Amino acid sequence: MQRRTFRTAAVAVVLGLLVPLSGCGSDSGAGDDGTLRLVAAEYGTNQATSSKAFWDKVTKEFTAANPDIKVEVQLLPWADIDREVSRMAKAGNAPDMALMGSYSDFAAKGQLYSAEELLSISAEANFLPPLAEAGSVGNTLYGLPWVASSRLLFYNEGLFKQAGLAAPKNWSDLKSAAKALKDKGVKTPYAMPLGPEEAHAEAMIWELSNGGGYADSAGNYNLASDQNIQAFRWIKDNLVAPGLTGPVPPSQLNRADAFAAFLRGEVGMLNGYPSLWHEARAKGIGVGTVAMPVSDTMGAGETPPAVGVADWMMAFKQHGKRKQIGTFLDYVYQDTNLADFAGRYHLLPSTVSASRNPAGGLDKNDELFLTALRGAQLYPVNAPSWVEVSDTIKRNIGRAVEPSGDPEAVLEEIAAKANQAAKRR
């Protein structure tokens, strides 16, 4: 799902606080002893799709079952929520809970309750393993995964049929398909969004498909590895230089624009997530999905881990309401609630049990994303420096494939800044 790889852009206005007007937007902490405050990101794009409907329903039902605990929910746009929650915490007015895209900075400062302090043993053990790992600092779970997604390669079935193409299995196949699409007049054979909106997602997908990634097995940044450098050299020489990407240079292409072009039928291939697939199908575009093709140097039949993304629920210690928070979280993480929320936005539930019994059931394509998620690799969100490092990647990685760009020099520059950020933390 800003950073969210599976989020649609949220409205810029705070939609419907679940509190009386006298309490709207206040920084009054958690309110009285019987009230919890949750600051949550807005997943909807307008009033009709606002997350308010979900939180209205859940908090009303929760308070009916727990009359001594009320829950106020404040919705903020994705563009604002990280900054605003950080400001609240620094001012001594942290919410009791927050649902947003990062948690590790608060965990590093000792501001969060651990899952062990909040949830039942069965609830803590119910999170999908890759998500639980990404939500943990050391061996302690602080970021409770809420909803998640994974990435697969999308291809326009109609355009592929016209060009007589099959789904690519390796980079050579992908290059050949892109060339054939270009020869058929396809405007953008492969959409490569390495612009500042979400370049870190596209970059990681390509790195993993060559055996690289953002971190080594010990969890340390490894941004300028040989595998990563080789991946960007290949992209530059085999896709960008021959004009197989577009419609603008990759460093200028943002994800939202790439997705919009795909929905107009102008893109042959790109990396996407479940909600885009549903949007495309609704517009009558046939979409094929496969795991990201591997580099030719990797073994035949190898499947790299997909990129996985999650949003995080966290609980602040500041107001000392551990028991009440735990009661609410045990309730909100029930299968019916979690699956309901995920289903509203075509996302994947974060727990084993809810993913087996999602709201309305999973279609065949969603099952592919869920299978990919179970073996996915997530960003190193448990590193306190990740927010800064990801911003550095987003703003700079596109230069690696520019005509005058040197992939090795660009990646080494990013790696140096990442190491500096890690030391400061």
Side-chain angles (χ1 to χ4, degrees), residues 221 223-224 389 392 409-424:
Y221 289 122
L223 296 166
V389 171
T392 299
V410 172
L411 266 68
E412 286 182 345
E413 176 188 325
I414 293 172
K417 291 180 179 178
N419 291 334
Q420 292 171 4
K423 289 178 181 178
R424 286 195 297 271

Side-chain angles (χ1 to χ4, degrees), residues 356-387:
R356 289 173 178 164
N357 300 288
L362 288 178
D363 61 32
K364 183 178 180 181
N365 198 73
D366 286 335
E367 289 283 2
L368 295 176
F369 285 101
L370 182 59
T371 298
L373 181 63
R374 291 187 178 116
Q377 186 166 321
L378 279 75
Y379 306 130
V381 291
N382 43 14
S385 59
W386 172 242
V387 172

Side-chain angles (χ1 to χ4, degrees), residues 55-411:
W55 292 114
D56 274 340
K57 174 177 178 291
V58 166
T59 54
K60 180 179 179 180
E61 293 173 351
F62 172 77
T63 298
N66 300 271
D68 56 334
I69 307 175
K70 295 181 179 179
V71 183
E72 298 174 351
V73 179
Q74 180 181 358
L75 299 177
L76 292 177
W78 280 105
D80 300 337
I81 189 166
D82 284 12
R83 179 183 67 253
E84 286 300 304
V85 172
S86 295
R87 181 185 62 80
M88 293 173 190
K90 187 175 181 179
N93 294 313
D96 296 296
M97 298 162 287
L99 171 58
M100 48 197 271
S102 61
Y103 72 89
S104 56
D105 192 30
F106 301 118
K109 295 174 182 176
Q111 297 176 326
L112 302 181
Y113 287 116
S114 68
E116 184 178 6
E117 295 174 291
L118 298 168
L119 303 177
S120 63
I121 294 175
S122 59
E124 184 181 358
N126 195 24
F127 293 114
L128 292 166
L131 305 183
E133 181 179 349
S136 298
V137 177
N139 294 317
T140 304
L141 180 63
Y142 290 102
L144 310 184
W146 177 241
V147 287
S149 182
S150 59
R151 290 295 181 92
L152 294 172
L153 181 72
F154 286 22
Y155 60 93
N156 183 308
E157 291 178 329
L159 297 179
F160 262 56
K161 184 177 181 180
Q162 291 173 16
L165 297 171
K169 296 181 180 179
N170 55 39
W171 286 2
S172 288
D173 289 347
L174 190 149
K175 177 184 177 181
S176 296
K179 186 177 184 305
L181 291 166
K182 183 178 181 180
D183 291 344
K184 286 289 185 179
V186 175
K187 187 174 182 179
T188 304
Y190 182 91
M192 176 81 68
L194 292 178
E197 180 188 0
E198 205 198 35
H200 62 310
E202 184 73 13
M204 186 173 171
I205 290 168
W206 282 94
E207 291 170 358
L208 290 175
S209 65
N210 194 41
Y214 286 148
D216 59 24
S217 57
N220 300 310
Y221 289 122
N222 195 25
L223 296 166
S225 67
D226 290 343
Q227 296 95 323
N228 292 352
I229 293 170
Q230 290 164 5
F232 281 93
R233 280 181 178 153
W234 191 92
I235 293 168
K236 179 182 177 182
D237 295 342
N238 293 274
L239 294 180
V240 181
L244 301 178
T245 61
V248 298
S251 61
Q252 299 174 25
L253 182 62
N254 281 321
R255 181 204 63 192
D257 295 328
F259 283 10
F262 186 78
L263 294 174
R264 292 194 299 268
E266 300 172 356
V267 174
M269 295 175 282
L270 53 58
N271 283 297
Y273 49 70
S275 59
L276 177 64
W277 185 89
H278 285 277
E279 288 182 64
R281 298 294 290 187
K283 290 181 176 293
I285 297 174
V287 183
T289 55
V290 292
M292 178 64 187
V294 296
S295 67
D296 294 13
T297 58
M298 292 184 70
E302 283 199 38
T303 301
V307 167
V309 183
D311 293 326
W312 310 98
M313 182 78 77
M314 65 211 74
F316 286 86
K317 295 179 177 179
Q318 198 168 95
H319 303 289
K321 298 189 176 181
R322 181 185 64 81
K323 184 176 179 180
Q324 296 100 314
I325 293 170
T327 301
F328 177 69
L329 292 180
D330 267 329
Y331 180 85
V332 81
Y333 272 95
Q334 290 178 9
D335 289 353
T336 53
N337 293 327
L338 189 57
D340 177 14
F341 189 93
R344 288 170 187 252
Y345 301 103
H346 298 299
L347 301 173
L348 301 174
S350 61
T351 64
V352 174
S353 57
S355 63
R356 289 173 178 164
N357 300 288
L362 288 178
D363 61 32
K364 183 178 180 181
N365 198 73
D366 286 335
E367 289 283 2
L368 295 176
F369 285 101
L370 182 59
T371 298
L373 181 63
R374 291 187 178 116
Q377 186 166 321
L378 279 75
Y379 306 130
V381 291
N382 43 14
S385 59
W386 172 242
V387 172
E388 181 178 349
V389 171
S390 64
D391 186 66
T392 299
I393 295 170
K394 286 186 287 187
R395 295 181 185 280
N396 293 280
I397 196 66
R399 294 191 288 115
V401 299
E402 291 177 346
S404 61
D406 179 346
E408 183 173 1
V410 172
L411 266 68

Side-chain angles (χ1 to χ4, degrees), residues 3-27:
R3 154 173 55 303
R4 181 171 71 106
T5 65
F6 52 87
R7 304 165 189 142
T8 50
V11 290
V13 179
V14 177
L15 291 174
L17 305 182
L18 304 180
V19 293
L21 287 175
S22 60
C24 286
S26 72
D27 287 346

